[in-house]
Amino acid sequence: MTRPTQKEIKAIADVAGVPASADDAARIANSIGPAFEGFAAVGGTLPFDLEPASFLLVQAATPRKAAK
Amino acid sequence: MNVHRKTTEPALLSLTSVAKAIAEKRLSSREVTQSCLDRIAQWQPRLNAFMAIETEAALAAADAADARLSKGNSGGALHGVPLAHKDMYYDAGKVVTCGSKIRRDFVATTTSTALQRLKDAGTIRLGSLQMAEFAYGPTGHNAHYGAVHNPFALDHITGGSSSGSGSAVAARLTFAALGSDTGGSIRMPAHFCGVTGLKTTWGRISRAGAMPLSQSLDTVGPLARTSEDCALLLGLMAGADPEDPTAITGPVPDYMAATREPIKGLSIGVPTAFYVDDLDPEVAGILDQTIAVLKREGAAIVQVELPDQRQLAAACQLVLATEAAAFHKRWLIERSDDYGAQVLMRLQNGLAIPGVTYIEALRWRGPALAAHLAAVAGVDAVLAPVAPVAAPTIAESDVGNSPDAESVIQRLTRFTRPINYLGLPSLSIPAGFTRNGLPVGMQLIGRSFDEAALLRIGAAFQRATDFHAREPK
C-alpha cells in the first residue's frame, strides 16, 4: 500500500462529491500519507474469513486476570 | 496523600468529599455553587475554559437542591453538586456549540444519556466548557473561540480536545467534567493540566446524545481530581442504554470499592519499546519515579513486549479520518468556509481514504486486540506516558493547516491513538511536574472493561503521592 498522490486524491475527492483544489489535495496527501505507510504491512494481508465484528468477539471474551 | 483536607473554600474539595459534605448538610449546595462561581469569575478571563456560565440558573438550582434536602429528599449520590461539561453533550433546550461556528446556535432537543444519568444523581449545571472544534484537535486551540489556557502556565496549551474540561477541573472551577476520547482527547488534557482522566472501554458508557466524531472510536469519560472521583462518576454513567446498542449490557462493577483495594500482588507491565522511545528526559524521569512508587505500594513491575504500536496508530488515523469525513460530508459541501483551517484540513483527509482501506483497518481490529491481550496476559495493567513531552506553548503549537501540522499532531498523540484503536480503557493520573512547573501524567492501560483495575492502581498511587492535590496559583 502506497500513499496516494495529489492527483489521485483530487480524483477521489471529486468522486466523493467534495471537490478539493490542487492545493488542498497536496495538503491532504502530505497529511494522510504517513497513515498509509504505517498500515502498509497490514493492508492486503488479512485472511478471507475476517469480519470487522471479530473485534466485538475478542473484546467480549477478554479474560480477566485472576483477582489477588 | 488525600485531598479530603479541611478547607475554607468548598470548590477546593474533591467531588467525593463535596458530595458527602452536602449530603451531611455540612455545606449547602448554594455555598458550594457560589464557591465555584467565585473561582470561575476569578479564573475565566485568564483561562477561557468556559463556553457559557449560567450563574443565576446555577444558584437557583442550588437553592432548590437545598430545599429538597431540607425536606429529606436527596436527589442521589451527587445531590446539589455543581458541574460543567464539554460542550458536546446534548442537554435539551440548551445551546450545544460543539466548539464550532456551524453549531454556534444549535439547541439540543434531547439530553445525552451520560449527562442525564449525572442529572438523575442530583448534579446541577454551572454552564458548558470549551473544546476543540468538533472535538477534532489535541492541543486546545480553537479557531472560533480562542485557545484555552493551562492553569499551571497560562502561555501553555491544555491539550484537547476536552480542553475546557482539563483547564476547569485543574483550576478547581468544577469538581469534574465530562470529556470524550477518540484519539486521546481525555488523556491529553488530563496529562497537560495535572488532573485525572478516564478513557473508558469502547462500549462501557452510552454515547447517545454525545456529538459523534468517529463511531468506532468515540468514548465518553470523566476528568476529575482523583481516581476515586472518576470511579464515582463511572459507576453512575456506565451500563446498558436502549438509545445506544453499542453500550454493553450486564452488571456495572463497584468501582468505588475497587479504589479502596491495595495493589499488593498486582502486576504492572512497562513496555520495552515505543512508549519509552524519544521521551523528553523529564518525562522519562517521572516514568521511573512512578514505577518506583508503584513498587513501594506492592505492585510487581515487569517488562512487556507489545505488538507494533505504529501500525495501530496508523489504523486509528485511517478509521478516524474516514468516519469523521463521513459525518461532516454535508457541511464540507455546504459550509466548508465555516470550519477552522486545521479542522477542515483534517476532515478533508478522510476523503483520500479508499473504502477498501477503511474496511481493512476495521477488519484488523479483532486480531490486533487479540495480539495485544496475549502480550499483556500476565499483567493487570500497562504503564506508559500519555505523551512524550509536557505541555508546549500555545504559540509553538499553533500550527493551523501548515504542511507540518499533521506531523505535530501525530507526535503529540502517538501514545494515545493505539489505545483508541484497540478500544481499551486507560486512566491518566498526575505523576509529577517538570522543573518549570508543568504537570506530567502517566496512563494505566487495562483490559477491555476492566476499568476497576486501573482505578484501583490509580487510587493507590494517589494515596502515596500528592501530585493530584496540587493547585495552580
Side-chain angles (χ1 to χ4, degrees), chain B residues 91-175:
Chain B
D91 193 350
K94 300 288 185 184
V95 171
V96 182
T97 68
C98 304
S100 71
K101 180 178 178 183
I102 289 174
R103 284 201 145 176
R104 187 186 290 271
D105 301 315
F106 168 70
V107 178
T109 56
T110 60
T111 297
S112 81
T113 298
L115 187 57
Q116 187 61 54
R117 288 179 178 175
L118 295 183
K119 285 185 174 190
D120 291 344
T123 63
I124 61 179
R125 178 182 165 106
L126 280 169
S128 58
L129 296 173
Q130 258 262 46
M131 57 183 285
E133 182 180 8
F134 289 117
Y136 209 7
T139 58
H141 292 85
N142 185 305
H144 309 295
Y145 301 99
V148 183
H149 297 256
N150 190 317
F152 283 97
L154 295 174
D155 56 340
H156 288 249
I157 64 168
T158 56
S161 64
S162 310
S163 49
S165 301
S167 183
V169 172
R172 277 60 176 166
L173 313 186
T174 178
F175 297 96

Side-chain angles (χ1 to χ4, degrees), chain B residues 32-348:
Chain B
V32 171
T33 303
Q34 188 63 61
S35 177
C36 291
L37 290 168
D38 289 345
R39 287 186 69 85
I40 292 168
Q42 176 191 355
W43 279 91
Q44 170 67 6
R46 288 175 282 166
L47 298 181
N48 190 29
F50 273 72
M51 188 69 81
I53 303 165
E54 299 170 7
T55 302
E56 297 307 319
L59 290 172
D63 288 342
D66 287 334
R68 281 197 303 278
L69 194 60
S70 71
K71 294 174 184 167
N73 301 322
S74 171
L78 295 176
H79 182 93
V81 176
L83 296 179
H85 305 293
K86 188 176 186 178
D87 196 23
M88 55 166 272
Y89 287 92
Y90 298 173
D91 193 350
K94 300 288 185 184
V95 171
V96 182
T97 68
C98 304
S100 71
K101 180 178 178 183
I102 289 174
R103 284 201 145 176
R104 187 186 290 271
D105 301 315
F106 168 70
V107 178
T109 56
T110 60
T111 297
S112 81
T113 298
L115 187 57
Q116 187 61 54
R117 288 179 178 175
L118 295 183
K119 285 185 174 190
D120 291 344
T123 63
I124 61 179
R125 178 182 165 106
L126 280 169
S128 58
L129 296 173
Q130 258 262 46
M131 57 183 285
E133 182 180 8
F134 289 117
Y136 209 7
T139 58
H141 292 85
N142 185 305
H144 309 295
Y145 301 99
V148 183
H149 297 256
N150 190 317
F152 283 97
L154 295 174
D155 56 340
H156 288 249
I157 64 168
T158 56
S161 64
S162 310
S163 49
S165 301
S167 183
V169 172
R172 277 60 176 166
L173 313 186
T174 178
F175 297 96
L178 288 179
S180 66
D181 198 317
T182 304
S185 289
I186 287 174
R187 289 162 289 161
M188 297 295 290
H191 157 66
F192 287 139
C193 294
V195 302
T196 307
L198 177 63
K199 181 236 175 274
T200 53
T201 307
W202 187 85
R204 179 73 275 180
I205 298 177
S206 167
R207 296 167 298 148
M211 181 212 77
L213 176 61
S214 168
Q215 74 270 15
S216 299
L217 305 171
D218 290 341
T219 55
V220 171
L223 294 93
R225 297 175 201 165
T226 68
S227 298
E228 186 183 35
D229 290 352
C230 287
L232 175 59
L233 291 164
L234 178 60
L236 292 170
M237 293 188 290
D241 177 17
E243 300 296 322
D244 180 0
T246 67
I248 64 158
T249 57
V252 175
D254 186 345
Y255 297 111
M256 289 292 279
T259 64
R260 294 188 283 271
E261 294 289 320
I263 61 170
K264 185 173 171 56
L266 296 188
S267 293
I268 297 172
V270 177
T272 54
F274 186 74
Y275 293 98
V276 293
D277 297 338
D278 303 321
L279 296 180
D280 175 272
E282 289 193 271
V283 174
I286 289 169
L287 173 61
D288 290 340
Q289 292 161 16
T290 304
I291 291 169
V293 170
L294 293 170
K295 272 185 182 173
R296 279 203 303 274
E297 293 302 302
I301 305 294
V302 299
Q303 290 198 319
V304 290
E305 289 190 26
L306 300 176
D308 189 336
Q309 302 291 292
R310 288 171 184 81
Q311 292 176 344
L312 301 175
C316 180
Q317 194 181 354
L318 293 171
V319 171
L320 202 172
T322 309
E323 294 183 352
F327 275 116
H328 284 267
K329 182 176 173 181
R330 179 173 172 182
W331 288 332
L332 286 172
I333 294 169
E334 297 176 354
R335 304 189 62 174
S336 62
D337 290 345
D338 288 338
Y339 288 102
Q342 185 182 94
V343 172
L344 177 62
M345 177 193 76
R346 300 191 74 204
L347 288 170
Q348 289 175 323

